[in-house]
Amino acid sequence: KLEVFVFFQQWQEAVDLVQKAGNVRLFLSSTFVVVRYTFLEALAYLKAAQSSSGWKKRQMKKCAHKTIQLIRGWAKNGNVNVVHYLYIVEAELAVLNGKNKKAKKSFNAAISTSRRNGFLRDSALAHELASAYFKAQGDDYWRNYHIECSRACYQEWGCGEKVKKLDAIM
């Protein structure tokens, strides 16, 4: 469910699910599942923080930091399969903190790393998140570029419903 909430950008539903589940990392049997869950959790908290204010924003940011630290640790210990995750969450953290130069750099790194290493769905997601960032910045050229790239990645991945959703907003 968390994967679906993230891919369809239902951030509050994603956070509600994560909070309801508690620390499920203790019960997940596969390393891949633990890593993927942690990435989605961090992303959900960051996106929720971006649309919140006051105490809730601080709380969401604090929760995101905890999960980002796990991802950083895995990357530091040589897990090359999490590097693109780290770039994506660092980009969204930079957006949250108003660090535009860092956000652009991290989005570009996330896109190139995920694509180069064969993580097509994450490349699509990174493009989509970058598109939303550039839209918020008022940069229609880069917004359109990234949404078109996102659509192409989702199409290649075979995610027809997501392609339809992107077509509706293009």
Side-chain angles (χ1 to χ4, degrees), residues 2 56 66-67 69 78-79 81 83 91 104 106 120 124 127 132 134 136 139 167:
L2 182 58
K56 186 174 181 183
K66 287 180 185 179
T67 55
Q69 286 306 107
N79 186 340
N81 293 324
V83 173
K104 290 176 190 177
S106 295
L120 187 57
H127 274 296
F134 284 109
D139 188 334
D167 285 344

Side-chain angles (χ1 to χ4, degrees), residues 14-82:
V15 168
D16 291 344
L17 183 64
V18 165
Q19 290 177 333
K20 183 178 178 184
N23 189 3
V24 298
R25 277 183 284 282
L26 301 172
F27 307 104
L28 298 174
S29 58
S30 163
T31 301
F32 170 78
V33 175
V34 170
V35 170
R36 184 72 184 174
Y37 176 84
T38 303
F39 162 67
L40 297 172
E41 178 184 18
L43 187 56
Y45 279 130
L46 287 167
K47 295 304 283 185
Q50 289 172 14
S51 63
S52 301
S53 61
W55 178 85
K56 186 174 181 183
K57 182 175 187 166
R58 288 188 301 277
Q59 189 66 26
M60 294 294 109
K61 191 173 177 181
K62 181 179 174 183
C63 291
H65 272 290
K66 287 180 185 179
T67 55
I68 291 169
Q69 286 306 107
L70 290 171
I71 298 169
R72 281 189 181 129
W74 295 328
K76 186 178 178 182
N77 288 331
N79 186 340
V80 297
N81 293 324
V82 303

Side-chain angles (χ1 to χ4, degrees), residues 53-125:
S53 61
W55 178 85
K56 186 174 181 183
K57 182 175 187 166
R58 288 188 301 277
Q59 189 66 26
M60 294 294 109
K61 191 173 177 181
K62 181 179 174 183
C63 291
H65 272 290
K66 287 180 185 179
T67 55
I68 291 169
Q69 286 306 107
L70 290 171
I71 298 169
R72 281 189 181 129
W74 295 328
K76 186 178 178 182
N77 288 331
N79 186 340
V80 297
N81 293 324
V82 303
V83 173
H84 67 289
Y85 290 158
L86 184 57
Y87 284 133
I88 292 170
V89 296
E90 285 181 343
E92 289 297 338
L93 183 59
V95 170
L96 180 62
N97 292 329
K99 297 181 178 180
N100 293 329
K101 194 178 224 182
K102 170 77 173 165
K104 290 176 190 177
K105 183 179 175 184
S106 295
F107 277 127
N108 286 333
I111 290 163
S112 63
T113 304
S114 60
R115 189 64 180 200
R116 183 174 53 247
N117 293 322
F119 295 102
L120 187 57
R121 69 178 173 181
D122 297 325
S123 181
L125 179 62

